[in-house]
Amino acid sequence: MSRIKNPPPANIVIFGGKGDLAWRKLIPAFYNLYIGGFLPKNFAIYGVHYEKQDEKWYESYMLEGINTFSRSGKAKPKEWKAFAQNLYYFEGDFTADDTFRRLGETLDANDKKWRNRAVRLFYYSVSPKFIDDISIGLSKYDLAANVSLDRIVVEKPFGSDLQSAKDLNKLLLAKFKEKQIYRIDHYLGKETVQNLMAFRFANIFFESLWNHNYIEHVQITVAENIGVGSRGNYYETAGALRDMIQNHLFQLLCVTAMEPPVTTDAEEIRNKKVDVLKAVRPFNKDNIQSNAIRGQYGEGKVNGKTQQAYRKEKNVNPKSDVETYAALKLYIDNWRWQGVPFYLRTGKSLQKASSVIAIQFKQVPLCVFKPNAIPDRRPNQLIISIQPEMETTLVFQAKEPGVEMKIKPVEMDFTYHDNYDTAVPEAYETLLLDVLEGDAALFMRADQVEQAWKVVMPVIDNWAATTEKFPNYNAGSWGPKAADELIKADGFDWILLPEAKQPAIKKKTKK
Ligand code: BG6
């Protein structure tokens, strides 16, 4: 079942092995890869954490994580037992030499047992302040010295501004080669985001329209209906621009706007993506005010339940100026996208969870139909829903059956639900398997991360130097008024999935 034949054995080390990410995402992802037959015959997973813990306790805690969060539901006892034989708790302080010495002995012993130098995957699922210590430890004991087999996975946040991202890259590159570093952005592992590549580059018909001649504007929305929950501590240091726009939304932007690659090689894909970010027209003091909008939620009702104001959330400063909503209007100054506005928005505690890329095409040059024959002259739209719905919808005009000429918009839908029986893997499954196989195409290169920070830096600086009257949107709404005005000023509206926004449109009968 493996993607590659006879994958080499693997030693997987998760620093922060007892943390939330390991519990909710990483171990369930490895478990699903295991039951899907994608892990090598010989593998071992070590969850490194400083506390003394009983091995049995660790196993049962991780089982609870799988039973709660795994997409395949509760673990089957037989499969779990077999998987758990390869899962170990590894007590170790990230700042102590001894941790890395013992780790080295353990990994070497596995290599010997398996009679093969295993791939080593070191996952930094830790607070950024430990990245230095772990890198020093790994390098001091030569644990990741084999450039072609040893891989370092670094979670976001990758820096908190351009300078800190540069420092972090410098630090990692002093110990490891770029080829070994996998900067993860889980959005790139999402099935629908990968499908955007297939959609654009495995089909002929959209490419000829995919430019400023035919596209009027592009919208990228990542709306969440949850608040910051228990993550107030982290969120106070981040905000929507750093937490979502600089990484996840920019990744969506890159996949939407990139030039066709020549191959799917990591370097080729990453070159094309970084070109997009390099072409983004820089924000400056004259355009920031009108092109960058921020918001913070106040109390409101989401799905009928009261959501408290951000300033009331746990570990949040009651006078916090941190934004929980951000919207940007930007331009990509290259031939393909000259003059086409891209609107990006994301926010927490919004009315509905919905991540959508919407392409609005230009109007036909001349409408030959009388206004009463075509009352809704909506231009063609291509709406790609990333989540929770996974569907692509093409909105176009069609004649209603009847003796009169009556034209109305209709939809053509492609949904995962109607087309496939196969289960959709979690983003982390795809990405972790890519790391094991040494494919970095879906990971960010140093220059791409830095370029993404470069784009948002003027906004970060401007927002730090100015204040906004917060809260400025109610939980359960669609965000601040100013964000609606941003897009309305250009004559457009935010587009959501057609059924959310345009219930009048009749859906195609499902097969
Ligand atoms: C994370 C952010 O990277 O992505 C969170 O830190 C956000 O604030 C999350 O909620 C969204 O991811 P997803 O996969 O649920 O859209």
Side-chain angles (χ1 to χ4, degrees):
M1 273 280 263
S2 304
R3 283 199 265 177
I4 54 173
K5 268 198 178 145
N6 304 322
N11 273 312
I12 297 158
V13 178
I14 305 174
F15 294 103
K18 197 192 140 216
D20 201 50
L21 186 72
W23 190 56
R24 289 190 314 125
K25 296 282 185 191
L26 304 181
I27 299 296
F30 279 122
Y31 176 72
N32 281 319
L33 287 174
Y34 175 75
I35 60 175
F38 292 105
L39 290 189
K41 190 167 136 260
N42 291 317
F43 74 97
I45 304 177
Y46 298 93
V48 187
H49 187 71
Y50 69 91
E51 284 169 9
K52 202 171 170 51
Q53 287 296 350
D54 179 60
E55 189 74 45
K56 283 278 160 243
W57 176 87
Y58 186 64
E59 270 186 29
S60 61
Y61 182 55
M62 288 299 140
L63 176 60
E64 189 192 322
I66 291 172
N67 287 343
T68 318
F69 301 108
S70 162
R71 67 169 168 88
S72 57
K74 286 196 173 170
K76 294 202 181 84
K78 211 168 142 201
E79 286 171 335
W80 163 252
K81 204 171 160 213
F83 175 77
Q85 275 172 5
N86 306 286
L87 177 68
Y88 304 92
Y89 182 73
F90 194 98
E91 183 196 333
D93 180 342
F94 307 147
T95 61
D97 275 9
D98 182 56
T99 302
F100 298 92
R101 189 188 50 73
R102 286 186 294 116
L103 201 52
E105 286 171 6
T106 308
L107 305 189
D108 288 346
N110 284 346
D111 288 348
K112 219 165 163 188
K113 187 167 73 191
W114 299 332
R115 297 207 190 137
N116 215 330
R117 171 61 159 81
V119 162
R120 292 181 179 179
L121 185 162
F122 297 101
Y123 203 112
Y124 289 22
S125 177
V126 295
S127 148
K129 65 178 185 241
F130 291 119
I131 292 181
D132 203 3
D133 290 322
I134 297 173
S135 304
I136 290 171
L138 290 178
S139 143
K140 189 164 174 187
Y141 287 89
D142 278 344
L143 298 193
N146 188 325
V147 175
S148 55
L149 290 178
D150 301 338
R151 289 144 207 176
I152 311 291
V153 185
V154 189
E155 259 297 330
K156 70 176 273 258
F158 198 92
S160 55
D161 56 17
L162 178 58
Q163 192 52 50
S164 57
K166 278 185 174 170
D167 294 345
L168 192 48
N169 276 329
K170 207 165 148 199
L171 190 155
L172 289 166
L173 289 166
K175 306 285 179 214
F176 315 108
K177 296 274 178 280
E178 174 63 39
K179 189 177 161 213
Q180 296 180 271
I181 305 170
Y182 291 72
R183 298 171 192 80
I184 208 163
D185 182 319
H186 76 279
Y187 265 60
L188 288 178
K190 287 186 189 273
E191 195 65 32
T192 32
V193 177
Q194 289 187 73
N195 196 27
L196 189 53
M197 293 281 287
F199 183 77
R200 285 198 59 202
F201 304 127
N203 295 302
I204 189 73
F205 42 76
F206 282 113
E207 176 53 21
S208 53
L209 304 176
W210 212 258
N211 58 57
H212 67 104
N213 291 318
Y214 296 97
I215 291 179
E216 188 168 56
H217 77 273
V218 178
Q219 301 181 18
I220 301 177
T221 295
V222 177
E224 296 187 277
N225 58 1
I226 49 168
V228 292
S230 57
R231 296 170 74 226
N233 258 338
Y234 154 73
Y235 205 83
E236 280 286 278
T237 66
L241 193 64
R242 288 184 169 95
D243 184 48
M244 297 293 288
I245 300 249
Q246 184 272 345
N247 37 75
H248 304 327
L249 277 90
F250 277 5
Q251 290 303 331
L252 299 181
L253 173 74
C254 287
V255 183
T256 308
M258 69 195 269
E259 291 301 312
V262 177
T263 65
T264 54
D265 287 351
E267 291 321 305
E268 171 65 3
I269 300 277
R270 301 194 295 182
N271 287 343
K272 293 291 190 287
K273 286 185 182 169
V274 85
D275 280 351
V276 173
L277 294 173
K278 279 187 190 157
V280 173
R281 187 179 301 168
F283 287 99
N284 58 44
K285 61 177 181 4
D286 299 325
N287 63 23
I288 283 184
Q289 291 297 355
S290 50
N291 291 347
I293 305 296
R294 60 185 148 159
Q296 187 192 81
Y297 62 85
E299 191 184 299
K301 280 208 177 331
V302 183
N303 287 334
K305 279 199 186 139
T306 301
Q307 161 68 56
Q308 64 182 347
Y310 175 70
R311 288 177 175 179
K312 294 245 169 80
E313 300 273 25
K314 199 170 152 211
N315 296 324
V316 168
N317 179 348
K319 292 189 176 148
S320 177
D321 272 334
V322 169
E323 81 284 353
T324 59
Y325 179 103
L328 300 183
K329 171 182 168 186
L330 43 87
Y331 286 95
I332 297 171
D333 281 334
N334 60 17
W335 274 38
R336 183 184 290 270
W337 296 115
Q338 200 46 228
V340 179
F342 283 72
Y343 303 92
L344 276 54
R345 65 170 171 164
T346 184
K348 294 218 182 272
S349 293
L350 297 178
Q351 196 180 102
K352 187 174 177 283
S354 181
S355 301
V356 167
I357 299 172
I359 316 284
Q360 177 148 319
F361 292 90
K362 292 190 170 169
Q363 273 291 5
V364 290
L366 172 73
C367 183
V368 295
F369 303 101
K370 299 221 165 63
N372 63 353
I374 181 164
D376 181 355
R377 276 202 66 200
R378 188 179 316 160
N380 296 149
Q381 292 171 339
L382 179 68
I383 303 174
I384 300 163
S385 171
I386 307 290
Q387 61 185 26
E389 298 86 1
M390 298 170 78
E391 63 184 88
T392 301
T393 304
L394 188 61
V395 181
F396 59 99
Q397 300 283 354
K399 181 188 172 304
E400 262 192 343
V403 291
E404 274 180 302
M405 180 55 99
K406 274 272 182 236
I407 297 169
K408 277 196 176 160
V410 291
E411 290 170 31
M412 201 154 77
D413 272 351
F414 155 72
T415 72
Y416 278 63
H417 180 259
D418 290 341
N419 284 276
Y420 305 115
D421 294 328
T422 348
V424 174
E426 276 269 344
Y428 275 98
E429 291 170 41
T430 305
L431 295 173
L432 289 169
L433 194 55
D434 280 357
V435 181
L436 286 175
E437 293 181 356
D439 182 355
L442 297 182
F443 295 82
M444 289 171 296
R445 213 169 48 192
D447 54 340
Q448 195 190 355
V449 183
E450 290 179 16
Q451 193 59 41
W453 279 118
K454 220 177 197 169
V455 173
V456 293
M457 277 324 290
V459 183
I460 288 181
D461 291 341
N462 179 277
W463 286 359
T466 55
T467 52
E468 189 71 50
K469 207 167 168 286
F470 283 160
N472 60 353
Y473 71 96
N474 292 336
S477 71
W478 277 112
K481 236 173 112 203
D484 290 340
E485 284 158 8
L486 166 83
I487 196 157
K488 272 200 192 321
D490 295 338
F492 311 129
D493 280 314
W494 291 111
I495 299 170
L496 286 169
L497 261 191
E499 48 265 54
K501 186 77 196 296
Q502 299 146 1
I505 298 181
K506 198 167 178 305
K507 291 201 74 138
K508 186 189 122 220
T509 317
K510 301 267 162 54
K511 61 177 176 113

